[in-house]
Amino acid sequence: MTSISAPGHVTPMVPLAWALRGAGHEVVVGGQPNLMPAVRGAGLCGQPIGEAFEQLLHLRNILPDGATPIEAWGRVVDPLYASAARTWAHQAQRTVDEYLDFCRSWAPDLIISEPFEFCARLLGGVLDVPWVRHGIGLTGRAARFEQSAAEALIPVVERLGLKEGALEPVLTLDNCPPSFGQTDAAAHRPMRYVPYNGTGAVPDWALERTGARRVCISLGTQTLVLNGVPLLRRIIEAVSGIDGVDVVVALAATDRESLGTVPEGVRVVESLPLNVFLDRCAVVIHHGGAGSSLTATAFGLPQLVVPQFLDQFEYGDQLAAVGAGITLDSAEKQNGVEEIRKAVLELLDNPVHARSARGLRDEVRAMPSPGDTVAVLERLAATA
């Protein structure tokens, strides 16, 4: 398995890796050194490739001081997809030779990667090994992303002698519920999203039945790094002003100091995986990242999305379209405390959203599990 150096891109693949290991197969995850803590924390073997790579550096460099992406650029999807594709295509050019050295020694029968990691399609073409694309949500459907990647990969494709270009996947595993618009193409197979955001113990407070409705706020590390702390504070202010609501703010330990003091009664938890306590929540507020969106969807929870860039807008659109969420997709909406509070109250008080969210959860549960997918992958590997 291969992934870019972003934990949120490798964690969706962990349940499939566990299923493969449980079936007796060898699994190793290749990636930049800064990905290895997430890999080994999941109990998987990891192979460091190349040097540590900071994926947010480019975005931080082009953002105006103090502005979030949505404040700086508005609702931008395609141009940022193209930029991301070029960034990771150039990273693939820098690391593909080291990947090839490792793969020639380890001799994999199958290569699985998430959509942003482009070395896999090069490895598959050079080594004649089947390549499977593991979806991490909606990103695998961005035609602009694929087109920009193909153009940026031309130099390395020619250097490696791949006359037909970078390899196409023999299969794409789609972990979005059918209501999000799964394709019927033969090369696509649905696979249930199994929530995994890391490991941790269930805290005592999560087991208490207080009668209050619990709202979880989780904006992810990327959003906060990209000037998102003021947005988080506005959301906390909005939700903490609602009677009869418990507020839980989940963030990385490294982000706790930047948040500062919070209103009385707001619980801040550091580095606690969402999958440990989300089943005790009534509403989730997040940035529209794949992991947050699909985890909340798998738990059947109404969601308030405050997207910033890329597919985050699309997750918000999909959730709103099926009635399972509300998306505040403009800076004006996200900058208003009353606008945020109004949306949270709608999600809490209107039963339509809870019913729609449970419907999405049931769709997820009906999808084939990672364990069900192992036999399909075994047949593909046998053709190598």
Side-chain angles (χ1 to χ4, degrees):
M1 289 183 162
T2 65
S3 169
I4 65 169
S5 54
H9 285 235
V10 74
T11 49
M13 299 197 293
V14 167
L16 179 59
W18 286 340
L20 289 164
R21 290 289 294 128
H25 299 291
E26 291 182 273
V27 177
V28 67
V29 181
Q32 275 71 68
N34 45 327
L35 186 69
M36 292 301 106
V39 172
R40 291 165 183 164
L44 300 173
C45 294
Q47 176 66 26
I49 300 289
E51 300 178 352
F53 183 73
E54 174 51 70
Q55 62 153 342
L56 294 178
L57 184 60
H58 175 64
L59 279 178
R60 284 207 304 264
N61 286 341
I62 62 177
L63 262 182
D65 290 343
T68 61
I70 196 171
E71 289 172 332
W73 308 315
R75 185 185 167 111
V76 175
V77 178
D78 282 352
L80 282 182
Y81 267 135
S83 176
R86 289 190 293 270
T87 295
W88 294 112
H90 294 152
Q91 178 67 2
Q93 294 181 46
R94 289 189 289 267
T95 57
V96 66
D97 292 320
E98 190 168 337
Y99 267 113
L100 280 168
D101 288 343
F102 170 70
C103 286
R104 286 182 173 122
S105 299
W106 200 69
D109 299 298
L110 191 68
I111 299 170
I112 304 172
S113 77
E114 48 87 8
F116 282 71
E117 206 294 299
F118 298 125
C119 279
R121 61 190 73 193
L122 302 173
L123 299 173
V126 172
L127 303 175
D128 195 24
V129 175
W131 165 51
V132 172
R133 178 196 284 124
H134 189 304
I136 58 169
L138 300 169
T139 52
R141 302 188 190 135
R144 177 73 176 273
F145 180 75
E146 291 291 332
Q147 178 184 348
S148 297
E151 293 170 356
L153 288 171
I154 288 175
V156 69
V157 164
E158 293 178 346
R159 177 170 69 83
L160 295 174
L162 298 174
K163 296 181 180 179
E164 298 183 4
L167 193 69
E168 290 296 314
V170 294
L171 180 68
T172 294
L173 300 174
D174 191 341
N175 53 16
C176 285
S179 288
F180 280 12
Q182 287 177 328
T183 178
D184 294 327
H188 282 65
R189 173 184 169 86
M191 185 178 72
R192 184 188 315 158
Y193 179 83
V194 177
Y196 169 74
N197 317 106
T199 58
V202 180
D204 291 341
W205 58 263
L207 302 176
E208 297 173 357
R209 300 291 186 180
T210 64
R213 295 178 292 182
R214 181 170 293 146
V215 174
C216 171
I217 305 170
S218 176
L219 298 191
T221 298
Q222 288 189 5
T223 303
L224 299 186
V225 168
L226 299 175
N227 304 323
V229 173
L231 171 61
L232 177 57
R233 291 178 182 144
R234 285 194 297 275
I235 294 172
I236 293 172
E237 180 184 351
V239 182
S240 62
I242 301 174
D243 291 336
V245 167
D246 284 340
V247 183
V248 179
V249 181
L251 42 64
T254 52
D255 295 322
R256 179 62 185 91
E257 183 177 354
S258 63
L259 176 60
T261 59
V262 297
E264 185 177 354
V266 173
R267 188 186 304 275
V268 179
V269 296
E270 301 175 15
S271 303
L272 185 66
L274 296 181
N275 54 273
V276 170
F277 68 92
L278 218 54
D279 61 331
R280 308 302 174 101
C281 294
V283 166
V284 183
I285 303 171
H286 60 78
H287 57 300
S292 302
S293 300
L294 293 178
T295 297
T297 297
F299 279 103
L301 298 176
Q303 303 168 53
L304 175 61
V305 183
V306 287
Q308 298 300 311
F309 57 89
L310 291 178
D311 56 323
Q312 297 172 6
F313 291 103
E314 296 172 300
Y315 277 111
D317 292 345
Q318 294 285 359
L319 289 162
V322 300
I326 294 173
T327 180
L328 302 180
D329 61 351
S330 71
E332 181 180 9
K333 293 176 182 178
Q334 294 182 14
N335 289 340
V337 171
E338 288 303 320
E339 185 88 23
I340 296 169
R341 182 177 294 135
K342 178 182 176 181
V344 175
L345 283 168
E346 168 68 17
L347 292 172
L348 286 169
D349 296 338
N350 188 338
V352 169
H353 302 297
R355 284 198 300 269
S356 298
R358 290 193 296 270
L360 278 182
R361 176 201 61 194
D362 293 343
E363 287 186 17
V364 171
R365 291 178 176 178
M367 295 168 70
S369 72
D372 297 330
T373 306
V374 170
V376 176
L377 299 182
E378 287 174 335
R379 289 193 292 272
L380 291 174
T383 66

